[in-house]
Amino acid sequence: MTLPVTFVEVVAVRRITPRTARVTFEAEALADTVGTAPDQQLKLCFPRPGQREPVLPAPQDDPMGWYQAYLAIPEAERPLLRSFTLRRREPGTRRIEIDFVLHGDTGPAAGWALRAAPGDRLGMVGPSALYAPPVPLAEAAADADWVLLAGDETALPAIATLLEALPEGGRAYVWIEVADRAERQELESRADLEVEWLYRDGAAPGTVLTEAFRDAVLPGGEPFVWLAGETGAVRAIRRCLIEEQGVPKSDIDFTGYWRHRLTQDDAPTAEDLADAQERLAAGPDSTSGNAAR
């Protein structure tokens, strides 16, 4: 199975909250079966300064060959990569929607999104079933008494697609940390859904969500927890769930999407590497994308 590599062109840009832009792209090539599952990772390729569009790696037969082709591009021309979650694909078309968290003109993704306009072009690697979660949330929900999805605004696209895929009759709780009340979004699910919005109101990223878990009284029964967002917060919340709440490690799907004061271009820390090793030991790569940086 090859990993799709294609250009995408902006069709529309819409602010869905003051700090979130939803960008609709038209892909030059996109298989009919791609992008229909929830929590689908992809990578966007951003042009270097002075480029009108990025230089893309040549498609490869080897699923991971694209990355070697990417590294073969001269560094001065090599596009900047950022991971995202596909928010939606319009049925019967090659149009996709991706949400960008606007946190200032401090990174290639957010800076690009602030100025994005119809006709702008990026590159896209994926999405692909190669990076689908090893245990779909709907399957996990069927085996659990309840599910809990938690994260910050970068996790909202994945959370929204997962909620939409949950079956009727299940119980789902959602805890989301956002900057303030204006960042709330409408979430839909066939499951019995309870959503708790947590507002930073100037606090450091991840602190409000972490404190909510430390103070929480979770429902009884067997849970399944999906957790994503700022890496340090994800790590602290997972530790709390295991050590203080007694949730088995196998019942927690966790991903650090971004690191406070660091970018994807910075080297991983020892804790980052330990987290990655634990995820690899648990099964195939299920790292999702996000909506930022």
Side-chain angles (χ1 to χ4, degrees), residues 23-230:
V23 182
T24 302
F25 295 94
E26 179 90 17
E28 283 191 354
L30 200 62
D32 291 342
T33 57
V34 166
T36 57
D39 195 12
Q40 284 284 288
Q41 178 194 15
L42 57 85
K43 292 184 183 297
L44 290 180
C45 306
F46 293 86
R48 292 279 184 173
Q51 295 177 330
R52 294 190 62 185
E53 63 183 35
V55 177
L56 298 190
Q60 306 290 318
D61 292 334
D62 177 359
M64 292 307 297
W66 75 269
Y67 191 65
Q68 294 304 315
Y70 167 78
L71 293 177
I73 300 171
E75 185 174 359
E77 302 175 10
R78 191 182 303 152
L80 298 168
L81 292 179
R82 291 295 183 266
S83 299
F84 288 82
T85 300
L86 178 64
R87 178 60 186 88
R88 181 174 177 266
R89 177 176 180 175
E90 294 185 16
T93 75
R94 296 194 305 275
R95 290 194 174 187
I96 60 172
E97 294 176 351
I98 298 175
D99 290 352
F100 291 74
V101 174
L102 305 175
H103 52 87
D105 197 1
T106 58
W112 177 89
L114 282 171
R115 295 178 286 273
D120 291 347
R121 282 162 64 85
L122 297 179
M124 183 173 71
V125 180
S128 170
L130 286 167
Y131 296 103
V135 180
L137 186 68
E139 180 181 328
D143 295 332
D145 294 311
W146 51 274
V147 297
L148 170 60
L149 296 88
D152 58 25
E153 50 268 84
T154 66
L156 266 171
I159 288 173
T161 63
L162 290 165
L163 287 175
E164 291 164 1
L166 285 176
E168 188 175 358
R171 277 197 299 162
Y173 302 89
V174 181
W175 295 356
I176 306 171
E177 178 190 292
V178 293
D180 53 42
R181 188 177 183 83
E183 295 305 302
R184 293 170 60 132
Q185 298 181 26
E186 291 296 323
L187 298 173
E188 298 181 357
S189 181
R190 290 172 294 173
D192 183 9
L193 181 62
E194 293 186 23
V195 182
E196 183 76 20
W197 293 94
L198 305 168
Y199 308 124
R200 281 192 298 276
D201 289 328
T207 55
V208 177
L209 185 62
T210 302
E211 286 303 315
F213 272 90
R214 287 176 177 155
D215 297 338
V217 178
L218 298 181
E222 295 295 324
F224 185 84
V225 181
W226 184 97
L227 178 62
E230 197 282 321

Side-chain angles (χ1 to χ4, degrees), residues 275-293:
D275 288 347
Q277 186 62 39
E278 186 164 355
R279 288 182 62 80
L280 287 172
D285 186 351
S286 64
T287 303
S288 298
N290 55 69
R293 289 156 175 63

Side-chain angles (χ1 to χ4, degrees), residues 222-242:
E222 295 295 324
F224 185 84
V225 181
W226 184 97
L227 178 62
E230 197 282 321
T231 299
V234 168
R235 191 176 290 126
I237 292 168
R238 180 171 178 264
R239 187 180 301 120
C240 174
L241 286 168
I242 295 168

